[in-house]
């Protein structure tokens, strides 16, 4: 009788948590540079040299380990982190190079059709065109709350910076750096909310542990609800004027977050 593991035994075998490459321990969330051996395949040629994050580790019945990776600049990266085929790729450990450093997600949130509520999206668009520190990814999430929740829960980020309109009663255009806190009563699934506290609560609600999260907010001049009869696609003048200062503010935060312990970044 063969000692080879059967199908069901193979499914039940636990996957490895980590693999060592070049003296560095790689696990889910680690960043790597792809170096496919063959380069004869069109995908190998396209992916050679690209930066990716490890989504998981697999091991076949022969004991060979493969890394499932999601490419950083894939527009469907959030789908890959959720295991959707077509946005995740398989590489052997000797086909990747470890990359050190911290990973930070900058997420623009808000509804661009509700006036100043779209400030975070506008700021994300401007930041995406700037040269930012290595390890920083800027994504416009708009009102895609659950996509942001899964990215924060499973994306392997060390820190997250949310960009959002933040009404706090100050003059329009006032900027804030806030660290939101989640009460136990907030931990529910509410797919209709993009408020930062609700997003953090949903991350916990699906069993995730959110990374250190900061909000760069701007005091809006108008607060339009989803029930408005006419869309407003322009920011008010004081809120639009705050974008340039906000770019510099976010860049200063990122310099701290990617090079130091993020617990040193304080609310401003």
């Amino acid at each position: 009788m063969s000692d080879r593991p059967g199908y069901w035994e193979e499914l039940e075998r636990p996957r490895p948590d980590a693999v060592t490459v070049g003296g560095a321990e790689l696990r889910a969330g680690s960043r790597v540079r792809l170096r496919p051996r063959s380069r004869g395949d069109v995908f190998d040629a396209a992916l050679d040299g690209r930066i990716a994050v490890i989504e998981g580790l697999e091991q076949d019945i022969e004991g060979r380990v493969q890394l499932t990776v999601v490419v950083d600049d894939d527009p469907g990266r959030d789908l890959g982190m959720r295991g959707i085929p077509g946005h995740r790729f398989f590489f052997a450990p000797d086909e990747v190079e470890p990359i050190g450093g911290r990973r930070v997600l900058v997420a623009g949130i808000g509804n661009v059709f509700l006036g100043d509520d779209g400030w975070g999206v506008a700021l994300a668009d401007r930041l995406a065109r700037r040269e930012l520190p290595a390890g920083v990814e800027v994504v416009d999430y708009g009102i895609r709350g659950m996509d942001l929740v899964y990215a924060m829960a499973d994306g392997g980020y060390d820190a997250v910076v949310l960009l959002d309109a933040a009404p706090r009663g100050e003059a329009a255009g006032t900027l804030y750096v806030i660290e939101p806190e989640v009460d136990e009563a907030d931990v529910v699934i509410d797919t209709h909310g993009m408020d930062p506290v609700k997003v953090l609560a949903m991350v916990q609600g699906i069993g995730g542990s959110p990374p250190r999260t900061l909000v760069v907010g701007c005091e809006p001049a108008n607060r339009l609800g989803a029930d408005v009869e006419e869309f407003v696609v322009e920011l008010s003048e004081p809120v639009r004027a705050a974008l340039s200062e906000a770019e510099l503010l976010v860049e200063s935060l990122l310099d701290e977050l990617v090079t130091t312990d993020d617990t040193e970044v304080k609310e401003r």
Side-chain angles (χ1 to χ4, degrees):
M1 192 171 182
S2 174
D3 293 329
R4 186 184 182 90
Y7 177 78
W8 295 110
E9 289 82 359
E10 175 63 21
L11 288 180
E12 293 173 355
R13 184 172 61 181
R15 301 173 183 176
D17 293 326
V19 62
T20 300
V21 175
E25 187 177 79
L26 300 179
R27 59 180 64 246
S30 297
R31 298 179 71 238
V32 295
R33 187 180 300 277
L34 304 178
R35 295 299 188 192
R37 288 190 300 265
S38 168
R39 294 183 179 84
D41 183 272
V42 63
F43 282 108
D44 286 345
L47 295 174
D48 185 29
R50 304 283 279 276
I51 305 299
V53 61
I54 296 175
E55 183 266 339
L57 287 78
E58 305 286 346
Q59 187 172 24
D60 63 21
I61 59 175
E62 304 294 339
R64 292 184 294 260
V65 174
Q66 281 196 315
L67 310 176
T68 58
V69 305
V70 178
V71 179
D72 268 8
D73 57 2
D74 179 359
R77 181 184 181 284
D78 54 331
L79 298 176
M81 296 306 297
R82 291 160 59 182
I84 305 300
H87 297 279
R88 53 203 293 265
F89 304 92
F90 294 86
F91 284 83
D94 62 354
E95 294 182 301
V96 303
E97 297 174 357
I99 295 178
R102 299 168 59 78
R103 299 184 62 237
V104 180
L105 171 65
V106 178
I109 61 179
N111 192 328
V112 296
F113 297 110
L114 296 180
D116 289 346
D117 190 64
W119 180 83
V121 172
L123 179 56
D125 178 67
R126 292 175 64 142
L127 288 167
R129 289 181 273 131
R130 296 178 72 96
E131 186 174 346
L132 299 174
V136 174
E137 180 180 358
V138 181
V139 180
D140 166 14
Y141 281 96
I143 57 174
R144 297 181 293 123
M146 288 309 297
D147 287 343
L148 176 56
V149 167
Y150 282 112
M152 293 179 66
D154 304 323
Y157 296 106
D158 297 292
V160 175
V161 178
L162 302 179
L163 314 176
D164 193 19
R168 304 183 86 189
E170 300 294 334
T174 301
L175 298 177
Y176 314 104
V177 177
I178 309 162
E179 183 169 4
E181 297 182 357
V182 179
D183 294 329
E184 188 172 336
D186 296 324
V187 183
V188 294
I189 303 297
D190 178 6
T191 58
H192 300 288
M194 277 294 280
D195 175 271
V197 172
K198 289 183 178 180
V199 170
L200 288 171
M202 285 193 286
V203 173
Q204 296 185 25
I206 65 171
S209 179
R212 175 78 184 280
T213 301
L214 300 175
V215 178
V216 173
C218 179
E219 184 73 43
N222 56 60
R223 297 186 64 186
L224 304 178
D227 57 349
V228 296
E229 295 183 0
E230 295 185 9
F231 292 133
V232 178
V233 295
E234 294 184 351
L235 300 176
S236 64
E237 181 55 37
V239 170
R240 182 168 56 251
L243 287 170
S244 295
E245 181 182 351
E247 286 184 69
L248 299 177
L249 174 59
V250 173
E251 286 186 325
S252 70
L253 289 176
L254 293 176
D255 286 339
E256 297 177 64
L257 289 171
V258 299
T259 59
T260 64
D261 185 346
D262 58 14
T263 58
E264 298 178 14
V265 180
K266 304 298 183 182
E267 180 173 325
R268 303 179 184 180

